[in-house]
Amino acid sequence: MIDIKDDNPPPDRVNILRTAQFNIDASFFQQVLKDSMMISDHFKIHALPDKVIFSCTSFSNEMETVVGPESEEIEAESFEIIEESESSYSLEFLNNFMKGIRSSEILTIGFATNKPIILEYNLENKGYLHYMLAPRIESVAKEDDYEYDDEDY
Protein backbone atom coordinates (compact mmCIF):
# COMPACT_ATOMS: atom_id res chain seq x y z
CA MET A 1 0.00 0.00 0.00
CA ILE A 2 1.28 3.43 -0.88
CA ASP A 3 0.79 6.21 1.63
CA ILE A 4 0.30 9.52 -0.14
CA LYS A 5 0.85 12.48 2.08
CA ASP A 6 -1.03 15.60 1.13
CA ASP A 7 0.41 18.74 2.68
CA ASN A 8 -2.10 20.95 0.89
CA PRO A 9 -5.55 20.93 2.51
CA PRO A 10 -8.54 21.45 0.25
CA PRO A 11 -9.35 25.10 -0.42
CA ASP A 12 -11.76 26.84 1.91
CA ARG A 13 -13.46 28.41 -1.08
CA VAL A 14 -13.51 27.78 -4.82
CA ASN A 15 -12.28 30.79 -6.73
CA ILE A 16 -14.33 31.32 -9.86
CA LEU A 17 -14.41 34.67 -11.60
CA ARG A 18 -17.25 36.85 -10.33
CA THR A 19 -17.75 40.23 -11.92
CA ALA A 20 -21.07 40.71 -10.14
CA GLN A 21 -21.89 39.82 -6.56
CA PHE A 22 -24.64 40.82 -4.12
CA ASN A 23 -26.60 39.58 -1.12
CA ILE A 24 -30.32 39.11 -1.68
CA ASP A 25 -33.26 38.05 0.46
CA ALA A 26 -33.67 34.30 -0.14
CA SER A 27 -37.49 34.36 -0.09
CA PHE A 28 -37.49 37.09 -2.73
CA PHE A 29 -35.14 35.09 -4.97
CA GLN A 30 -37.26 31.96 -4.44
CA GLN A 31 -40.31 33.90 -5.62
CA VAL A 32 -38.46 35.18 -8.70
CA LEU A 33 -37.54 31.59 -9.58
CA LYS A 34 -41.08 30.36 -8.96
CA ASP A 35 -42.56 33.08 -11.18
CA SER A 36 -39.97 32.41 -13.89
CA MET A 37 -40.73 28.68 -13.94
CA MET A 38 -44.29 29.48 -15.00
CA ILE A 39 -42.90 31.08 -18.17
CA SER A 40 -39.70 29.28 -19.14
CA ASP A 41 -37.17 26.60 -18.21
CA HIS A 42 -34.27 29.05 -17.91
CA PHE A 43 -33.75 32.64 -16.93
CA LYS A 44 -31.22 35.38 -17.42
CA ILE A 45 -29.40 37.52 -14.89
CA HIS A 46 -28.10 40.84 -16.20
CA ALA A 47 -25.99 42.90 -13.81
CA LEU A 48 -25.41 46.59 -14.47
CA PRO A 49 -23.55 49.08 -12.23
CA ASP A 50 -26.81 50.31 -10.68
CA LYS A 51 -29.17 47.30 -10.91
CA VAL A 52 -29.67 43.60 -11.49
CA ILE A 53 -32.33 42.35 -13.90
CA PHE A 54 -33.80 38.86 -13.63
CA SER A 55 -35.72 37.98 -16.79
CA CYS A 56 -37.15 35.13 -18.82
CA THR A 57 -39.16 34.83 -22.01
CA SER A 58 -41.26 32.30 -23.86
CA PHE A 59 -43.24 32.44 -27.08
CA SER A 60 -46.20 34.09 -25.38
CA ASN A 61 -44.94 35.61 -22.11
CA GLU A 62 -42.06 37.44 -20.56
CA MET A 63 -41.07 38.46 -17.06
CA GLU A 64 -38.59 41.00 -15.77
CA THR A 65 -37.72 41.83 -12.16
CA VAL A 66 -35.33 44.69 -11.41
CA VAL A 67 -33.54 45.23 -8.10
CA GLY A 68 -30.75 47.57 -7.11
CA PRO A 69 -28.69 48.53 -4.08
CA GLU A 70 -31.53 50.76 -2.85
CA SER A 71 -34.05 47.86 -2.99
CA GLU A 72 -35.12 46.35 0.31
CA GLU A 73 -34.36 42.85 -1.08
CA ILE A 74 -30.65 43.67 -1.57
CA GLU A 75 -28.04 44.45 1.09
CA ALA A 76 -26.68 47.75 -0.24
CA GLU A 77 -23.17 47.30 1.18
CA SER A 78 -22.85 43.92 -0.58
CA PHE A 79 -23.79 45.22 -4.05
CA GLU A 80 -20.62 44.96 -6.13
CA ILE A 81 -20.73 45.04 -9.92
CA ILE A 82 -17.20 45.17 -11.35
CA GLU A 83 -18.39 45.05 -14.94
CA GLU A 84 -21.63 44.49 -16.80
CA SER A 85 -22.40 40.76 -16.73
CA GLU A 86 -25.08 38.58 -18.27
CA SER A 87 -25.75 34.84 -18.21
CA SER A 88 -28.62 32.36 -18.43
CA TYR A 89 -29.18 29.44 -16.05
CA SER A 90 -31.49 26.45 -15.72
CA LEU A 91 -34.47 27.18 -13.49
CA GLU A 92 -34.92 23.51 -12.64
CA PHE A 93 -31.48 23.21 -11.04
CA LEU A 94 -31.65 26.59 -9.29
CA ASN A 95 -35.10 25.85 -7.90
CA ASN A 96 -33.97 22.46 -6.55
CA PHE A 97 -31.11 24.10 -4.69
CA MET A 98 -33.32 26.84 -3.26
CA LYS A 99 -35.68 24.29 -1.67
CA GLY A 100 -33.12 23.75 1.10
CA ILE A 101 -32.78 27.42 2.00
CA ARG A 102 -34.95 28.98 4.65
CA SER A 103 -36.88 31.96 3.42
CA SER A 104 -35.42 34.08 6.24
CA GLU A 105 -31.87 33.56 4.99
CA ILE A 106 -29.67 35.93 3.04
CA LEU A 107 -28.29 34.47 -0.15
CA THR A 108 -25.07 35.62 -1.84
CA ILE A 109 -25.15 35.46 -5.63
CA GLY A 110 -22.00 35.83 -7.70
CA PHE A 111 -21.48 35.35 -11.43
CA ALA A 112 -19.78 36.64 -14.57
CA THR A 113 -20.76 36.56 -18.23
CA ASN A 114 -21.02 32.95 -19.39
CA LYS A 115 -19.46 31.67 -16.17
CA PRO A 116 -20.98 29.53 -13.42
CA ILE A 117 -23.32 31.18 -10.97
CA ILE A 118 -22.34 30.71 -7.33
CA LEU A 119 -25.02 30.75 -4.66
CA GLU A 120 -23.82 30.81 -1.06
CA TYR A 121 -25.52 30.91 2.29
CA ASN A 122 -24.55 30.46 5.92
CA LEU A 123 -25.81 27.58 8.01
CA GLU A 124 -26.50 29.35 11.32
CA ASN A 125 -22.80 29.85 12.15
CA LYS A 126 -22.10 26.15 11.52
CA GLY A 127 -20.62 26.63 8.06
CA TYR A 128 -21.88 27.52 4.65
CA LEU A 129 -23.09 25.96 1.44
CA HIS A 130 -21.86 26.81 -2.02
CA TYR A 131 -23.87 25.84 -5.06
CA MET A 132 -22.34 26.28 -8.49
CA LEU A 133 -24.21 25.91 -11.74
CA ALA A 134 -22.79 26.18 -15.23
CA PRO A 135 -24.46 28.72 -17.50
CA ARG A 136 -26.82 27.76 -20.25
CA ILE A 137 -24.98 28.54 -23.47
CA GLU A 138 -27.03 28.78 -26.60
CA SER A 139 -25.35 28.84 -29.94
CA VAL A 140 -27.01 29.74 -33.17
CA ALA A 141 -25.98 27.52 -36.04
CA LYS A 142 -25.01 29.31 -39.21
CA GLU A 143 -25.65 27.93 -42.67
CA ASP A 144 -21.87 27.81 -43.24
CA ASP A 145 -21.53 25.36 -40.32
CA TYR A 146 -23.10 22.56 -42.37
CA GLU A 147 -22.21 20.91 -45.61
CA TYR A 148 -25.09 20.28 -47.99
CA ASP A 149 -25.25 17.92 -50.88
CA ASP A 150 -27.17 19.54 -53.73
CA GLU A 151 -28.77 16.20 -54.54
CA ASP A 152 -30.61 16.27 -51.18
CA TYR A 153 -32.71 19.24 -52.26
Side-chain angles (χ1 to χ4, degrees), residues 40-92:
S40 183
D41 63 346
H42 65 282
F43 87 132
K44 185 184 296 184
I45 303 176
H46 188 177
L48 298 162
D50 61 337
K51 62 187 169 188
V52 175
I53 304 167
F54 301 105
S55 64
C56 66
T57 59
S58 69
F59 293 114
S60 60
N61 287 321
E62 61 183 47
M63 183 216 67
E64 183 175 280
T65 303
V66 180
V67 292
E70 71 287 341
S71 303
E72 63 184 42
E73 298 86 10
I74 298 280
E75 289 183 349
E77 62 277 356
S78 73
F79 193 83
E80 182 180 3
I81 310 299
I82 297 169
E83 66 182 45
E84 184 175 342
S85 306
E86 183 176 51
S87 284
S88 294
Y89 301 97
S90 165
L91 284 166
E92 178 184 2

Side-chain angles (χ1 to χ4, degrees), residues 5-136:
K5 188 173 184 177
D6 186 10
D7 293 332
N8 299 324
D12 196 31
R13 179 176 223 177
V14 176
N15 290 322
I16 293 178
L17 176 67
R18 304 177 207 194
T19 56
Q21 184 166 304
F22 51 92
N23 293 348
I24 190 167
D25 179 82
S27 61
F28 174 77
F29 190 65
Q30 286 169 329
Q31 189 61 49
V32 169
L33 294 178
K34 184 178 176 183
D35 293 346
S36 298
M37 288 185 77
M38 296 172 81
I39 296 171
S40 183
D41 63 346
H42 65 282
F43 87 132
K44 185 184 296 184
I45 303 176
H46 188 177
L48 298 162
D50 61 337
K51 62 187 169 188
V52 175
I53 304 167
F54 301 105
S55 64
C56 66
T57 59
S58 69
F59 293 114
S60 60
N61 287 321
E62 61 183 47
M63 183 216 67
E64 183 175 280
T65 303
V66 180
V67 292
E70 71 287 341
S71 303
E72 63 184 42
E73 298 86 10
I74 298 280
E75 289 183 349
E77 62 277 356
S78 73
F79 193 83
E80 182 180 3
I81 310 299
I82 297 169
E83 66 182 45
E84 184 175 342
S85 306
E86 183 176 51
S87 284
S88 294
Y89 301 97
S90 165
L91 284 166
E92 178 184 2
F93 291 114
L94 287 172
N95 192 51
N96 285 339
F97 174 71
M98 292 300 294
K99 288 178 183 178
I101 296 178
R102 291 191 189 123
S103 61
S104 61
E105 299 286 332
I106 296 296
L107 177 69
T108 300
I109 298 177
F111 73 102
T113 298
N114 295 329
K115 302 286 185 209
I117 188 171
I118 301 171
L119 306 176
E120 305 172 341
Y121 73 98
N122 288 325
L123 298 170
E124 299 176 2
N125 299 325
K126 296 178 184 176
Y128 52 86
L129 285 180
H130 289 254
Y131 180 74
M132 291 178 266
L133 178 63
R136 177 184 169 123

